[in-house]
Amino acid sequence: MKLISTAIALNTFLLCFAQAPTWSSDVAKIIYGNCTSCHRPGGIGPFSLQTYDEVSAMANWVQQAIEQRDMPPWTPDHTYKNYVHERVVSDADITTFQNWVAAGAPSGDLRFAPPVPTYPSGSQLGIANLNLSIGSYMVSGNGDVYRNFEIQSGLSQAEYATAIEVLPGNPSIVHHVLVFTDSTANPINPNSVGGTGSSASQLLYSWVPGAAPYFSPEGTGFRLPANTRIILQIHYAPGSAGQTDNTEINFKTSTSPLRKITVSPVLNQTNLENGPLVIPANTIQSFTESVTIPAKYTALYVFPHMHLLGKKVISYGLKPITGDTIRFVKIDDWDFHWQDNFALANSVVLPVGTTLKATATYDNTSSNPENPNVPPQTVTLGEGTGDEMMLMFFAYMPFLPGDENLIMDKRVIPKGATTFCEGQSVELTTIKGEGYTYQWKKDGVDLPGENNFTLVATSSGSYMVEITLGPNVALSDPVSVTVNPAPTAQIVPPGNTEIPLGGTIDLSAVQGTGYLYQWYLNGYAVPSWTNPDLTTEYNGEYVLEIFNGGCFQISETLTLTGGLANLDELTSTIRIFPNPSKDIFTIECNATDALVIRVEDITGSEIRKFDFNGKSISIDLRDHSEGVYFVEIIGDGHKILERRKIIKMD
Ligand code: HEC
């Protein structure tokens, strides 16, 4: 039986109780904003989390992943430092999710749930000047597979990349991708992990599923020398053997010179304070690297790198004279499989004489589940997965005045579907950092009062945000939002709402092309009542719902009086029809147990009695006179399950 809560019932509920969160109104948007970029059919997440059924079936597990901040994967401590578009669920959303699970994970009215977002499969760069592919590669090997692919850039002159985008060829197996340039002819090692096998390879960028393209701040770029090679190190998730991948990389480039961003492991094994990097079997060891910089620099992103014994890492700078701390990154639960570059939300200016530091902890005991050696063995520096590394990459440039005010990113990211029905909304987000101010615009016109880093869009249009930091102003690319009008769900009021004895009333709906109709009587969706017109003999409360291309609306309630009070009949799994009838009454039932049917007249005298264990049976009252009769449905132990009034007419 399908029940609805009409608008009235919902309102009453709101007034009477503190409302528990529901999937439709509160939880779906948390999942769509944080999880479905990976947890969708064909995504890297091991299962889909797109629907109410999928999420509610594993609500406790999902709650644990969210509250322990295991998911979405984001290793840095977000209370230590903020980055561009960090994958962090807000505390308020965590509480909402917990309250939802505590309330029994209610669905709410699923017809009002936000639509499942779709994710672009093609390029989001607009025009990519340089598009390179690994070709077609079939993965072999069990467990995690790491593979280096060498691609000739074919650049006839040096160019500057201002945007980098990885397009995974097979999104269900590509776990992450490291992007290197290498201008030498050194051979690479297709199976080396961490590095490429060529010591001249320079890391540019790291991609994880769900990451949007990286855009360098205005006027800056990564230098790609003429004829350089691009090397992609691809990590394939366990279970990928036999599957084919053809990952591509796109660059937006400029041939005119820009400020060059250098990416280098400024902190590395050569500046270990307590080296060498040797981790004896069955020990937990910490190492610190330290380097004092000889010139003033501006840092744009950080990227820590260790292998499987890595547990923790923290990196910061100490300013000269004052010793003030400049925070870079803190990871308390290192995960080799989720290494990533963390683009700073504000550029970080490093004065001459700043001492950069990193402290990393390695666990070479058997209680580290990632330990590649059973039993543990002494591990030293090297590029194999079984070796260790301790690198802190920085993307940086020599300082220029005004660098404090670089706008580090100007994308707008929708946290849900951008096409939805009237009455729903989508949250648009842009960079959040210190000192930024915002002005959102719709169709080129300022939206008054919309000066936050997020905007809730409720109507169709092209949305952009103007971001200001100091004297710098940047305008985002537009994001188009389409709001489909909800259908008009209106019952055309009948001239008379009192049903004449033995008669009927015609109801009809305001119609529209493509509409689907469902009439309800007293909260019950009558299966056969799906036309815009309805002829009825029953009194009660009528509601009409209309779907139109995924949009949904329910009408106000219309009450009909007089007529038959046959709610039982409509809501029961037992149907008797037609009623009234001239001769034959059909009884339909989905019961699995054997029943007895008894028919009596108005005086209580039995006129029929028979066993019933099928689905449908007919009673012929042709030889009986006009009037009221009763049908009793009797179950096991002679219990009367239902007693129905039927009317025989001439
Ligand atoms: C960037 C991609 C990505 C995003 C975003 C993401 N997941 Fe996952 N999730 C994965 C992958 C991949 C795994 C498999 C384990 C692994 O590789 O860490 C996983 C595993 C899980 C698991 C299994 C248990 C565990 O903790 O490993 C749960 C539960 C889960 N995700 C829930 C979520 C929820 C809830 C969200 C959103 C709040 C989310 N995930 C967001 C990629 C993602």
Side-chain angles (χ1 to χ4, degrees):
M1 190 196 312
K2 191 166 132 198
L3 283 173
I4 61 159
S5 354
T6 62
I8 291 165
L10 266 176
N11 285 341
T12 322
F13 180 70
L14 274 173
L15 293 174
C16 300
F17 301 98
Q19 198 192 16
T22 66
W23 168 263
S24 296
S25 50
D26 313 277
V27 174
K29 61 183 175 219
I30 299 175
I31 298 294
Y32 295 165
N34 297 287
C35 316
T36 41
S37 57
C38 297
H39 289 275
R40 62 190 158 108
I44 190 72
F47 40 79
S48 168
L49 289 176
Q50 284 192 322
T51 65
Y52 168 71
D53 288 345
E54 288 165 348
V55 178
S56 60
M58 51 170 83
N60 290 310
W61 200 26
V62 169
Q63 175 177 339
Q64 199 183 333
I66 294 182
E67 69 195 3
Q68 294 179 356
R69 298 197 176 277
D70 288 340
M71 284 285 144
W74 184 256
T75 51
D77 178 348
H78 72 284
T79 62
Y80 185 77
K81 190 74 191 169
N82 292 111
Y83 307 93
V84 172
H85 292 298
E86 42 191 24
R87 285 191 299 273
V88 174
V89 181
S90 71
D91 291 340
D93 284 350
I94 294 178
T95 307
T96 302
F97 199 90
Q98 289 166 330
N99 291 342
W100 179 65
V101 177
S107 64
D109 191 333
L110 289 176
R111 295 162 307 180
F112 290 109
V116 177
T118 52
Y119 296 89
S121 54
S123 174
Q124 297 167 64
L125 283 193
I127 301 154
N129 322 63
L130 183 60
N131 167 265
L132 303 172
S133 163
I134 64 165
S136 183
Y137 173 70
M138 191 197 281
V139 185
S140 61
N142 297 321
D144 293 288
V145 173
Y146 295 82
R147 184 87 188 171
N148 292 310
F149 299 90
E150 172 185 24
I151 315 168
Q152 299 299 333
S153 70
L155 292 176
S156 56
Q157 64 176 104
E159 296 193 15
Y160 285 82
T162 57
I164 307 177
E165 171 186 60
V166 169
L167 295 178
N170 187 338
S172 63
I173 60 172
V174 177
H175 197 289
H176 81 253
V177 180
L178 302 184
V179 182
F180 300 85
T181 56
D182 194 320
S183 299
T184 67
N186 292 349
I188 66 158
N189 173 356
N191 300 315
S192 117
V193 180
T196 64
S198 158
S199 57
S201 294
Q202 288 181 4
L203 182 78
L204 283 186
Y205 174 66
S206 148
W207 177 91
V208 293
Y214 179 81
F215 290 89
S216 62
E218 200 77 27
T220 68
F222 301 91
R223 189 168 184 274
L224 302 177
N227 292 314
T228 192
R229 293 179 294 172
I230 300 295
I231 298 163
L232 300 188
Q233 179 172 107
I234 305 189
H235 169 199
Y236 295 105
S240 306
Q243 297 213 50
T244 306
D245 178 38
N246 57 350
T247 288
E248 291 177 38
I249 181 158
N250 286 328
F251 294 95
K252 207 167 191 170
T253 62
S254 158
T255 43
S256 45
L258 297 173
R259 284 182 73 190
K260 180 186 161 195
I261 303 172
T262 301
V263 182
S264 110
V266 179
L267 288 164
N268 58 63
Q269 60 281 354
T270 64
N271 42 51
L272 271 169
E273 282 179 0
N274 55 342
L277 191 75
V278 175
I279 310 146
N282 301 307
T283 64
I284 295 175
Q285 300 285 328
S286 288
F287 297 90
T288 297
E289 293 167 343
S290 174
V291 71
T292 300
I293 56 172
K296 194 171 182 181
Y297 288 107
T298 304
L300 304 177
Y301 70 65
V302 293
F303 179 157
H305 178 70
M306 303 187 274
H307 290 178
L308 295 163
L309 297 184
K311 274 287 144 194
K312 287 183 194 189
V313 61
I314 182 168
S315 180
Y316 52 91
L318 295 175
K319 283 189 182 173
I321 308 164
T322 61
D324 287 351
T325 302
I326 309 171
R327 295 174 171 192
F328 298 130
V329 66
K330 177 170 180 270
I331 296 177
D332 293 331
D333 192 6
W334 169 256
D335 187 342
F336 179 63
H337 305 298
W338 288 110
Q339 49 187 315
D340 200 353
N341 40 216
F342 305 113
L344 298 156
N346 289 88
S347 61
V348 173
V349 175
L350 305 170
V352 188
T354 298
T355 301
L356 309 180
K357 288 200 166 265
T359 298
T361 304
Y362 299 84
D363 182 348
N364 193 5
T365 68
S366 50
S367 53
N368 177 358
E370 299 284 331
N371 198 326
N373 300 311
V374 184
Q377 296 179 11
T378 297
V379 168
T380 56
L381 185 76
E383 288 210 339
T385 351
D387 305 323
E388 265 308 332
M389 301 209 89
M390 178 175 173
L391 300 177
M392 184 63 63
F393 289 87
F394 287 83
Y396 63 92
M397 310 180 289
F399 172 82
L400 283 184
D403 272 359
E404 306 77 358
N405 292 321
L406 285 175
I407 294 175
M408 300 295 276
D409 193 281
K410 54 174 192 168
R411 276 171 297 159
V412 171
I413 298 192
K415 303 285 248 175
T418 49
T419 297
F420 49 85
C421 292
E422 198 178 323
Q424 294 179 334
S425 61
V426 65
E427 189 187 2
L428 307 177
T429 62
T430 188
I431 188 167
K432 182 186 174 193
E434 280 163 36
Y436 289 103
T437 58
Y438 312 89
Q439 176 61 60
W440 288 87
K441 296 168 187 286
K442 186 180 136 185
D443 301 326
V445 180
D446 285 1
L447 292 168
E450 295 297 356
N451 309 112
N452 204 330
F453 78 100
T454 65
L455 171 84
V456 176
T458 54
S459 59
S460 293
S462 170
Y463 289 83
M464 287 195 243
V465 62
E466 189 177 83
I467 307 166
T468 307
L469 185 60
N472 295 338
V473 181
L475 192 60
S476 74
D477 286 338
V479 168
S480 164
V481 170
T482 307
V483 181
N484 292 325
T488 316
Q490 203 178 318
I491 304 174
V492 179
N496 183 3
T497 55
E498 172 142 10
I499 304 169
L501 186 66
T504 58
I505 277 189
D506 292 335
L507 298 178
S508 61
V510 169
Q511 297 190 35
T513 327
Y515 283 13
L516 295 176
Y517 306 86
Q518 174 67 60
W519 292 87
Y520 284 76
L521 175 53
N522 296 334
Y524 174 62
V526 185
S528 58
W529 289 6
T530 53
N531 291 320
D533 298 317
L534 175 69
T535 299
T536 180
E537 63 240 14
Y538 301 115
N539 68 37
E541 298 196 329
Y542 285 79
V543 169
L544 171 66
E545 70 175 28
I546 299 188
F547 289 91
N548 179 27
C551 290
F552 165 81
Q553 194 61 259
I554 44 184
S555 72
E556 300 203 335
T557 305
L558 174 80
T559 306
L560 297 185
T561 55
L564 296 173
N566 252 330
L567 174 62
D568 278 357
E569 175 161 343
L570 287 166
T571 57
S572 171
T573 52
I574 299 164
R575 293 183 64 215
I576 306 178
F577 61 92
N579 183 21
S581 168
K582 283 187 168 39
D583 41 27
I584 312 275
F585 294 82
T586 300
I587 303 181
E588 244 179 37
C589 179
N590 286 326
T592 46
D593 300 334
L595 301 170
V596 172
I597 307 276
R598 201 173 154 269
V599 185
E600 59 184 40
D601 65 17
I602 190 92
T603 69
S605 314
E606 183 175 296
I607 58 167
R608 292 275 199 289
K609 187 173 179 182
F610 46 86
D611 291 336
F612 176 64
N613 51 12
K615 292 275 170 233
S616 162
I617 197 163
S618 295
I619 318 169
D620 190 345
L621 296 188
R622 206 173 319 201
D623 53 344
H624 287 265
S625 53
E626 189 182 11
V628 171
Y629 295 82
F630 295 95
V631 175
E632 283 180 352
I633 292 122
I634 302 161
D636 206 18
H638 310 290
K639 188 170 167 237
I640 297 176
L641 300 177
E642 289 196 37
R643 184 176 159 86
R644 295 277 185 82
K645 182 164 84 177
I646 56 173
I647 296 175
K648 153 98 168 77
M649 303 201 311
D650 268 348

